[in-house]
Amino acid sequence: MKYILALDQGTTSSRAILFNHDGGIVATAQKEFRQIFPKPGWVEHDAQEIWATQAGVAAEVLHKARAKAGDVAAIGITNQRETTVVWDRKTGKPICNAIVWQDRRTAPMCDKLRAQKLDKLIQKKTGLVVDAYFSATKVQWILQNVKGAKARAAKGELAFGTIDSWLLWNLTGGKVHATDVSNASRTMLYDIRKGTWDEELLRIFGVPRSMLPEVRDSSGVFGETTLLGGKTPIAGIAGDQQSALFGQVCTKPGMVKNTYGTGCFMLMNTGTKPIASKNKLLTTVAWRIDGRTEYALEGSVFIAGAAIQWLRDGLGIIRKSADVEALAASVPDTGGVYLVPAFAGLGAPHWDAYARGTLVGMTRGTTVAHIARAALEGIALQVMDILKAMEADAGIKLKELRVDGGASVNNLLMQMQCDLLGVPVVRPKVNETTALGAACLAGLAVGYWKNVADIAKHWQVDRKFKPTMKAGMRSRITEGWKRALGRAMAWEEK
Ligand SMILES: Nc1ncnc2c1ncn2[C@@H]1O[C@H](COP(=O)(O)OP(=O)(O)O)[C@@H](O)[C@H]1O
Ligand SMILES: O=P(O)(O)OC[C@H](O)CO
């Protein structure tokens, strides 16, 4: 058969991409959906709209390529992670909007867990830092706040799933309620070393076992769908950041990728060994193939490309995201301005749910160009902080950083990044590595590709950025950044 279809369900859009045997893109379809902000700090999605847009782009991409179901060997799913959907098993309808990974409403619940000194236990089992980011407190919130939910869940009437499970359920007409191990590892309910849902955590968060999906390998047949017209196997699932790690062929320990999308997510493959972080990074499952689990260290930055969207939609100083590059390049530096884009609190390595966006260092000479440049620099500086933590945790010095994601097309940002890191930054030709990873996991399961080496031979460099900044300048910028961070942290009152 000719193609593998990847369904890439991201935070801001649903995408469908058809890949051929060379790992090349044949056609792409994409549809944005509504971001719902009911209160400050809350972020929701309509799960039905997510399914409708995802099903829509799947049909559209086949149409664009003039392909039929019979041309598609398998489907791979990759998804925004942690986002929580609870639905009725009988009707298949969600009982409320999905609570998105960026949503901060459960921060007080996390404070309580820390006050009860449960954070160490949770980190030991799940590899995660207690934060509103993960699914557990989101499910707990739904069960406590949606009328009748707790009782219905206790009777086994409700199902919980991250977006992959929700899509899989819909693709299979409610026949399969499953997830893959990389997504399970983001729920804060899963023991990443034992590879099981954890009864003690389920008790702590008040989540009945009956709500949970079955956890499977990332590569393997999960079920079949008739969505495309014939019967197509769904043969791979991975969370989008783990999927990008696979798509970048970071399949050997020590290899690192950073994805610049809505947020920024840096992952280092650590092989079959989970490394417990001493610097507030996450230990997470990269994937499980043929029963063999590989792990990753992760630094998660909540706002990256979203800061550029804010320049566009919030401030209106650019018309489209790509315009930020020329505007920022029209000035040689930020003129001392720093933008800490803590719009959704700060993730790794700070984990401050009460931090808020801060713009400092302005003078009468400050222009929108300085602010645009500060937004790009703010992205690169957040990434610098996580790379330092990662190098300390893994005890290695990085040789190169592989990059991808929507904002990685910005050459100025990539140059700033490698200047601030002092490490070469490498961008591959196929920038859709997230979708490619899911396609590869699915393709491996059905024999479309033989093995990882078969996939690796298609990875090609588009451009390599080399550091040019003088060390003195780097430390001046870094020092100012530390002070700006201090202004942003603990801003929102508890
Ligand atoms: N040229 C650009 N420079 C900087 N940011 C960009 C550029 N083009 C797109 N972006 C940002 O990239 C993000 C989209 O990337 P994408 O990988 O599609 O994200 P996601 O998967 O999180 O929805 C948006 O936040 C957008 O503002
Ligand atoms: O949708 P993205 O690409 O911004 O990714 C979101 C992450 O999976 C959140 O953990």
Side-chain angles (χ1 to χ4, degrees), residues 8 10-13 15 30 101 240 259-263 304-310 312 321-325 376 379 404-410 413 432:
D8 179 2
T11 310
T12 54
S13 72
R15 271 192 291 240
Q30 178 168 8
W101 59 276
D240 56 8
T259 301
Y260 300 78
T262 303
I308 309 305
Q309 282 172 336
W310 176 71
R312 187 192 65 189
S321 295
D323 296 343
V324 71
E325 188 165 352
L376 291 178
I379 298 173
D404 53 58
S408 74
V409 300
N410 189 314
L413 172 61
E432 297 283 3

Side-chain angles (χ1 to χ4, degrees), residues 239-282:
D240 56 8
Q241 303 309 324
Q242 288 93 331
S243 188
L245 190 69
F246 201 71
Q248 287 271 28
V249 204
C250 291
T251 47
K252 294 207 178 82
M255 292 178 84
V256 184
K257 73 87 204 179
N258 190 42
T259 301
Y260 300 78
T262 303
C264 253
F265 300 89
M266 187 186 288
L267 271 75
M268 175 190 284
N269 184 320
T270 65
T272 51
K273 214 176 86 200
I275 295 183
S277 176
K278 292 196 175 72
N279 296 288
K280 295 194 176 170
L281 297 180
L282 309 175

Side-chain angles (χ1 to χ4, degrees), residues 35-284:
Q35 304 292 314
I36 304 164
F37 308 114
K39 291 185 189 183
W42 290 33
V43 189
E44 297 181 353
H45 290 159
D46 174 351
Q48 298 278 35
E49 196 183 341
I50 283 188
W51 164 238
T53 52
Q54 194 62 73
V57 291
E60 188 186 333
V61 79
L62 251 67
H63 181 73
K64 276 189 176 171
R66 296 214 178 85
K68 295 204 174 56
D71 297 322
V72 179
I75 293 174
I77 299 176
T78 183
N79 55 289
Q80 55 164 322
R81 306 166 303 166
E82 300 96 15
T83 297
T84 298
V85 190
V86 175
W87 67 93
D88 184 309
R89 286 186 182 279
K90 252 205 203 112
T91 63
K93 293 235 163 62
I95 64 162
C96 57
N97 277 338
I99 303 185
V100 177
W101 59 276
Q102 293 164 320
D103 190 292
R104 309 274 88 206
R105 83 184 66 175
T106 59
M109 292 156 84
C110 294
D111 293 342
K112 216 161 138 195
L113 291 167
R114 275 188 294 271
Q116 293 169 320
K117 304 229 171 335
L118 287 168
D119 45 340
K120 289 255 153 54
L121 171 104
I122 292 173
Q123 190 170 19
K124 198 158 164 243
K125 288 181 188 236
T126 66
L128 307 174
V129 173
V130 169
D131 191 83
Y133 178 24
F134 306 103
S135 316
T137 55
K138 300 184 196 292
V139 194
Q140 191 179 19
W141 189 95
I142 291 173
L143 293 181
Q144 287 173 359
N145 291 280
V146 176
K147 206 163 162 246
K150 202 169 166 193
R152 286 164 74 196
K155 281 193 268 172
E157 290 173 14
L158 302 182
F160 151 72
T162 39
I163 294 294
D164 56 308
S165 295
W166 169 243
L167 294 179
L168 182 64
W169 171 274
N170 283 286
L171 281 164
T172 59
K175 284 205 188 81
V176 185
H177 184 211
T179 188
D180 95 295
V181 64
S182 73
N183 274 295
S185 76
R186 313 297 296 188
T187 58
M188 210 175 240
L189 298 170
Y190 190 76
D191 186 319
I192 57 167
R193 287 175 183 81
K194 289 190 189 143
T196 51
W197 294 120
D198 188 86
E199 293 298 338
E200 191 179 5
L201 293 177
L202 293 181
R203 255 198 321 279
I204 290 171
F205 291 102
V207 178
R209 179 75 181 73
S210 63
M211 289 182 80
L212 302 177
E214 184 194 331
V215 185
R216 302 200 194 156
D217 278 10
S218 316
S219 181
V221 176
F222 286 78
E224 279 183 340
T225 184
T226 52
L227 179 76
L228 308 179
K231 279 191 180 163
T232 317
I234 300 136
I237 295 184
D240 56 8
Q241 303 309 324
Q242 288 93 331
S243 188
L245 190 69
F246 201 71
Q248 287 271 28
V249 204
C250 291
T251 47
K252 294 207 178 82
M255 292 178 84
V256 184
K257 73 87 204 179
N258 190 42
T259 301
Y260 300 78
T262 303
C264 253
F265 300 89
M266 187 186 288
L267 271 75
M268 175 190 284
N269 184 320
T270 65
T272 51
K273 214 176 86 200
I275 295 183
S277 176
K278 292 196 175 72
N279 296 288
K280 295 194 176 170
L281 297 180
L282 309 175
T283 309
T284 203

Side-chain angles (χ1 to χ4, degrees), residues 362-426:
M362 287 165 293
T363 63
R364 281 291 301 271
T366 300
T367 66
V368 287
H370 294 111
I371 294 173
R373 197 169 177 108
L376 291 178
E377 203 170 78
I379 298 173
L381 283 160
Q382 293 184 96
V383 172
M384 180 192 72
D385 285 343
I386 50 178
L387 184 71
K388 278 188 191 154
M390 199 167 267
E391 286 184 331
D393 270 343
I396 60 164
K397 194 95 191 83
L398 194 72
K399 289 201 191 66
E400 67 169 36
L401 179 67
R402 294 188 173 190
V403 297
D404 53 58
S408 74
V409 300
N410 189 314
N411 291 328
L412 179 60
L413 172 61
M414 293 302 102
Q415 189 57 50
M416 280 177 174
Q417 189 67 82
C418 91
D419 279 341
L420 287 168
L421 299 180
V423 166
V425 162
V426 182

Side-chain angles (χ1 to χ4, degrees), residues 284-299:
T284 203
V285 174
W287 46 72
R288 195 173 77 200
I289 301 175
D290 291 333
R292 183 174 179 270
T293 305
E294 290 191 38
Y295 296 87
L297 260 180
E298 172 174 326

